[in-house]
Amino acid sequence: MGWTASANLILEQPLRSSAPLEWAYSSGVGKMISDRFELGIEAFGNFHEERHFIGATAGVFLKENAKLLATAAIAHQGGGKAGRLLLEVEW
């Protein structure tokens, strides 16, 4: 049961036709704690809006190539704080 690390640079565009392209990122480190469960930490953000989050992740493998991942993250930006809860399925 080893460690996993990932880093992604993302170029996205909202579906509005006149919306500009936006740069974002995500990166994380996780450790398998059993055959089906993984715990880790993840950072993600958007350079256009200058929003950056960091938080804990927990994942469970549903099948051999499918994982349910939950991330609870907080941000500190411009004197204020924000939180985000993400649920995603990877396959």
Side-chain angles (χ1 to χ4, degrees):
M1 288 183 239
W3 289 86
T4 303
S6 67
N8 302 290
L9 188 58
I10 304 161
L11 183 60
E12 60 188 11
Q13 182 178 26
L15 294 177
R16 299 183 318 261
S17 61
S18 62
L21 293 171
E22 298 178 1
W23 286 99
Y25 69 92
S26 68
S27 61
V29 176
K31 173 137 177 65
M32 294 296 297
I33 58 171
S34 74
D35 291 341
R36 293 190 59 212
F37 296 99
E38 178 182 43
L39 294 177
I41 188 166
E42 183 176 16
F44 56 92
N46 180 311
F47 295 113
H48 177 74
E49 298 172 354
E50 296 186 17
R51 298 184 75 184
H52 308 283
F53 294 84
I54 188 166
T57 64
V60 60
F61 286 86
L62 305 172
K63 295 182 180 178
E64 186 174 316
N65 293 326
K67 177 171 65 170
L68 176 64
L69 183 65
T71 303
I74 59 170
H76 182 78
Q77 57 202 51
K81 294 184 179 178
R84 185 172 281 182
L85 177 62
L86 300 173
L87 298 173
E88 60 185 277
V89 176
E90 298 178 355
W91 67 91

